[in-house]
Amino acid sequence: MAITLVNPSGLPTVDVYRQVSIATGTKLVFIAGQVAWDAKGLTVGEGDLAAQVEQCYINIATALAEVGGSFDDVAKLTVHVVDWTPDKMPRLLEGIRRASANLGVTPVPPATLLGVAALDVPDHLVEIEAVAILD
């Protein structure tokens, strides 16, 4: 595994991500922002943030598997949520929990959460991009 995840002393411990990732691999993998499309390009979970987050994680796992990777190789996630407000956090976390159970992983790389005005189409509530490092 090319990624070591760390919570340094002096920084808060957050359940859903680690503060630092240390990469030692040689192949960088940049995954385009994933939205809640299924394999046919149809939106999953219209109006349901948790369902869309889950689909985004599934799509990232699919992309990683195609290049011989997994969530263990993810160094950084960036999450874009339409009209973000803190009251949406439980639905975001529910989507991550569902994806974790579905995929059998605990995806906790460093993450940045950004509120955005809109995404590519009105039906999409979240977009998640990933950077991974492979040996």
Side-chain angles (χ1 to χ4, degrees), residues 5 26 67 89 103 120 132:
L5 301 176
T26 57
V67 297
M89 184 63 80
L103 298 168
D120 59 330

Side-chain angles (χ1 to χ4, degrees), residues 73-125:
D73 302 304
V74 175
K76 176 78 167 71
L77 292 172
T78 304
V79 180
H80 303 86
V81 181
V82 174
D83 297 326
W84 174 258
T85 56
D87 64 308
K88 293 182 180 181
M89 184 63 80
R91 297 298 296 150
L92 178 83
L93 296 176
E94 175 61 24
I96 294 170
R97 278 191 286 278
R98 288 172 22 187
S100 297
N102 184 336
L103 298 168
V105 301
T106 305
V108 292
T112 299
L113 173 61
L114 301 168
V116 297
L119 292 171
D120 59 330
V121 298
D123 291 343
H124 291 157
L125 305 175

Side-chain angles (χ1 to χ4, degrees), residues 10 13 25 33 39 47 54 63 72 77 81 87 104 129 134:
T13 299
E54 180 181 14
D72 289 337
L77 292 172
V81 181
D87 64 308
E129 59 183 282
L134 303 179

Side-chain angles (χ1 to χ4, degrees), residues 4-27:
T4 302
L5 301 176
V6 179
N7 271 327
S9 61
L11 294 178
T13 299
V14 180
D15 290 339
V16 295
Y17 67 88
R18 301 300 174 261
Q19 296 284 359
V20 176
S21 66
I22 303 163
T24 57
T26 57
K27 182 190 272 186

